[in-house]
Amino acid sequence: MSGQGEQGGMRFVAVATQLRTEIFRRLGIESLWFLGALGLALFVVTYLAGSAGRGELMFLDGDSMVVPLFSRSVLEGTASNWAMSAVLFVPEILMFLGLLLTDRGIQEAQFLAAVLNFVGLYLVFRVAAVTVAKGNRAALAATAGFVAVCLLALAEGDGDGDSLQLASLLAMNTYYAATVLGAVLTVGLTRRIVASSSPQRVPAILMFVVATVSVFSNPLYLAWVTAPLVVIVLVVCAGAAWGRAPVWAIAALIGGSVLGYLLRIPLAPWIVANPDNYFQPTRSRGSFAYYWSLLVERLSSPAGVLAVAVVIALTLLGAWLTVRSLRQGAIASAVLAAYSWFAPMATTIGFILMGTEAARYLQLWAFAPALALVVLVADARPAKLAAMPWRRLAALAAIPALLGGVMFVVALPAAVERASVADPSLACAVDWVNQSGEVGAGQFWSVRAVKTHVADPAQLIQVDFALRDYAWLVDRADFAQSAVSFLIVDNQSGAFTLPPGAEDLPSTTIDCGRFQIVDYSPASITRP
């Protein structure tokens, strides 16, 4: 008996050792693929940060300052009465707070957050690929989708926030990066749930949490994910033997979405966006003309033509893969493939019918079609990669790691510069405001970058052209200051209408490049 016990113990040790070895091998291979994605992410963000349009959008744009401003107010204990849009940017703010707590400056944190957004895209593509494919094939499928989005981002750089250069918006913290990641993650989890014949409780719970957080942070998730994905699951699974798996997926998605929306109710005083601005069906014709003009503008350059051609090709691939998957009975893959083309088309039509005019609402076109590549590679036959010895798998994974390493080394010097060297005009304005010790004001598009970087953000008040409070993406506690002694203007500022008696005050203009500081001190202007 003792001999049998010893043999059993030895077998247990051998199995445990083999399992541990296999886990380390898989982690090592996955790490190589991840390093490739990390290098590409740094390369893409470095390129975007150095481009004219995207660099401005990342570091100087008024909208892009809400996450840094809110994060600073949390750390400094002044977040008392914020006026937010319909979007609360919860995941973005949490990530930014984490970066600031590591003693990063504002600009460094903005740059690193952009890199993390792109790395996060690879990881959620990896979740979408893991259901059917094993080993390197899943990582290869995720890499294929990730590279497609990165190539689209590299074809951009000169547009502003109102262009159809949508893939590069992932580098910004105010253009729904967390909602993009939440959308891909949800679709990947749905595929995993639907693929199983038995209830998948852990993925369903995770999807419930993702939907709750996403809707709480940004109701746009309802249009991007909840509505189209429920339709897709119902239609795709209708022709199959209806089991409990689709019910779990739909229940988790709808339940999480409802809870997330309900959790927004206590924060209603902070949400100052007018719901009527998001639903104007009488303007649908103008909305169509607006989006059509953006498409025409995108097609005005060779890079734009190539990007649109790639998106169309991926969309057609997704439609073909949907039909093929349904014919083969691969329901889970059909869900993912159907989302790649149906969700962008459905939401675009929906936004036009709603009368919206915001290019950023169409971001699905930048990442959803890439899911077709995930399906194509993950479901490829035969599965030769999965049958490879681990040494060959490691050798294959070393290729993206090597390429990513090269891109990392090439991009690193420029990345350090773009993350740490402030715009000269911004640095000039910030230094002057800090040294003045006075309270000033400026309009939304002109003052917010300076306000974000000065020692005391409350020193700069966000106003309209008549110096009235402009409560949009700012802490309303700032408006307690009733008098200002200088104004910050740039080429985006409208002409100020000063209160009676202040029009003829003598002033001095300080030239800070793109920023002009009109200083009225020692006099001051009382705001209405």
Side-chain angles (χ1 to χ4, degrees), residues 57-79:
L57 201 61
M58 187 182 299
F59 300 124
L60 296 170
D61 179 70
D63 275 340
S64 297
M65 296 301 117
V66 60
V67 171
L69 275 172
F70 191 95
S71 299
R72 282 198 63 181
S73 68
V74 170
L75 292 178
E76 295 166 5
T78 60

Side-chain angles (χ1 to χ4, degrees), residues 17-81:
T17 301
Q18 183 179 3
L19 180 61
R20 184 172 61 251
T21 302
E22 182 65 21
I23 291 174
F24 282 131
R25 287 174 178 175
R26 290 187 179 183
L27 287 176
I29 292 173
E30 287 292 336
S31 297
L32 291 174
W33 286 98
F34 176 80
L35 289 174
L38 177 61
L40 180 56
L42 181 69
F43 184 86
V44 171
V45 172
T46 302
Y47 164 77
L48 293 173
S51 62
R54 266 28 195 171
E56 170 129 351
L57 201 61
M58 187 182 299
F59 300 124
L60 296 170
D61 179 70
D63 275 340
S64 297
M65 296 301 117
V66 60
V67 171
L69 275 172
F70 191 95
S71 299
R72 282 198 63 181
S73 68
V74 170
L75 292 178
E76 295 166 5
T78 60
S80 58
N81 189 18

